[in-house]
Amino acid sequence: MLPQEVICTKREGNALSAEEITFFIEGMVKGSFSESQVSALVMAVYFQGMNRDECVNLTRALQFSGSTLQWSEMDLNGPVVDKHSTGGVGDKVSIMLAPMLVACGVHVPMISGRGLGHTGGTLDKMDSIAGYNTSPSIEDFQRIVATTGCAIVGQTAELAPADKQLYGIRDVTGTVESIPMITASILSKKLSAGLDSLVMDVKVGTGSFNVSYDIAKALAVNLVEVGDGFGLPISAVITDMNQVLGNTAGNALEIIETLDYLTGEYREPRLHEVIVELGAELLLLSGVAVNIGSARLKMSDSLTSGLAAEIFARMVTDLGGPSDLLEKRDLYLQAAPIVVPVFINKEHSNIKSTMQVETVNGRALGNAVVALGGGRVKAQDAVDHSVGLSAIKGIGESVDDNEPLLFVHAKNQTDADIAIERIHEAFTYCESVDVAKSAIIDKVNTQNL
């Protein structure tokens, strides 16, 4: 079998066999093919797509390029589940959801990623906790999941290593936005974690990488079809990302919001709705709940009982973080030296004394966080965990001369001024706006494909 023949097959729009896909992934890992040959196949897939069987076979080839976690000998007292998000500004759902799910009787081995571009990464947020180790050994990872119930860590070299290599090529060839390759990338890592069920949070809106509902629906359908092809109970929830999820954006600030959420200090309604719905879907998929109503109730009870907060604190300690984070957060989370309120910009507009937020450009706010140093332009960039935005107003909320849009947390005034310019470009206003009733746009599962 020749690599150029495989490339030609896909270039002409024909389906690749399982043998051809495996041949190519193995050749890439071994270094038998040139990077230009791998790039050519990736570009052919980008333009010609893949059918379900091809996508299943690509996912399998990526998964079996490394190890798959085994849980059968760990004597777990519940199923192994996880959630994955396509990412968005202020998306701290995973950090809140994992301990809530554990409180409901499941185990969550959550392998997460870092931020790149305008969306933040779960690992960067966890790294803002002093001492927290996002890179434990596989043995420690599995032990903590078995005993505490959840662990939020980064991808290891043992799990789906070919995916990391393939993503690196996609990233530099302008082919990241390929639904088959996105699907294979996500599912290969999740299947490597040995899951019993998975829920996908597919985001759409200015604060995500995708602003098209049609693309979000196509991705959701593909993820469910391919996951089902592996016999994995899977559901996809399409959620609104046309504004920040929650009221913070920035690593340590989002951990503070997480602690407030888990302890009941404050729960932003849209964020709470998304968390409860994703968790309820997983409880249904894993058989822990018999219907959506009882599943939602279990999720809510995990908070009111205080158990989710206790589990989160235990996980942090197990992974090297402080044992008293909930009580003494200020000791362990970096604070920016400058905090500046940002008020409505009335220049060059017909803005009156009191207005409502009409639209929010989430991408612009995410880029403001990056400009402050809270995100990455290049993968190797360092991140300032202390900077970001807090008390961010959402669509329909009122603002005036005394009520700021948000607060900028910066390391110096110059950075704050640059961010403020971007922030003013991110908001539009009106006297009255209709607010969407729900952040849940659609659901895709095997019953409604």
Side-chain angles (χ1 to χ4, degrees), residues 92-148:
K92 69 281 293 177
V93 168
S94 293
I95 307 172
M96 302 163 172
L97 179 62
M100 292 170 66
L101 286 166
V102 175
C104 294
V106 301
H107 295 262
V108 187
M110 190 167 279
I111 299 173
S112 302
R114 301 197 180 279
L116 188 62
H118 68 283
T119 64
T122 297
L123 283 194
D124 295 320
K125 296 162 193 177
M126 299 308 296
D127 276 340
S128 68
I129 302 172
Y132 188 94
N133 177 21
T134 56
S135 303
S137 67
I138 287 289
E139 294 75 20
D140 284 345
F141 174 52
Q142 289 197 273
R143 174 183 56 79
I144 293 166
V145 170
T147 56
T148 297

Side-chain angles (χ1 to χ4, degrees), residues 6 34 37 53 70 82 102 108 113 115 125 152 180 203 205 213 265 279 287 317 335 390 403:
V6 178
S34 68
Q37 288 174 315
D53 289 343
Q70 303 297 325
D82 199 4
V102 175
V108 187
K125 296 162 193 177
I152 302 174
K203 297 194 173 297
Y213 169 78
E265 289 292 321
T317 303
S390 68
E403 186 69 25

Side-chain angles (χ1 to χ4, degrees), residues 388-405:
L389 314 174
S390 68
I392 304 167
K393 294 293 186 184
I395 294 173
E397 291 194 74
S398 297
V399 288
D400 56 31
D401 294 337
N402 300 309
E403 186 69 25
L405 278 171

Side-chain angles (χ1 to χ4, degrees), residues 214-324:
D214 290 340
I215 292 174
K217 183 65 177 283
L219 176 57
V221 168
N222 205 55
L223 284 161
V224 171
E225 286 183 343
V226 174
D228 185 55
F230 280 90
L232 176 70
I234 182 173
S235 174
V237 181
I238 300 174
T239 61
D240 173 61
M241 204 62 232
N242 276 311
Q243 55 184 313
V244 173
L245 192 59
N247 63 7
T248 59
N251 299 298
L253 294 170
E254 292 187 49
I255 293 295
I256 291 171
E257 185 174 4
T258 296
L259 299 178
D260 286 344
Y261 179 89
L262 292 174
T263 58
E265 289 292 321
Y266 175 70
R267 293 172 185 145
E268 195 275 322
R270 290 177 67 256
L271 174 63
H272 181 62
E273 179 190 28
V274 170
I275 292 170
V276 169
E277 202 64 22
L278 291 170
E281 284 290 315
L282 269 176
L283 296 182
L284 275 179
L285 288 168
S286 58
V288 173
V290 295
N291 57 55
I292 195 69
S294 65
R296 290 171 181 152
L297 183 60
K298 283 178 180 289
M299 291 296 294
S300 296
D301 287 347
S302 75
L303 292 172
T304 55
S305 68
L307 186 54
E310 292 178 20
I311 291 167
F312 179 79
R314 205 179 311 146
M315 177 193 73
V316 168
T317 303
D318 287 345
L319 283 159
S323 59
D324 53 354

Side-chain angles (χ1 to χ4, degrees), residues 174-197:
T175 54
V176 169
E177 300 90 344
S178 161
I179 286 178
M181 288 188 284
I182 291 171
T183 299
S185 176
I186 292 170
L187 291 181
S188 63
K189 292 193 287 286
K190 293 304 179 182
L191 289 163
S192 295
L195 301 181
D196 295 317
S197 57

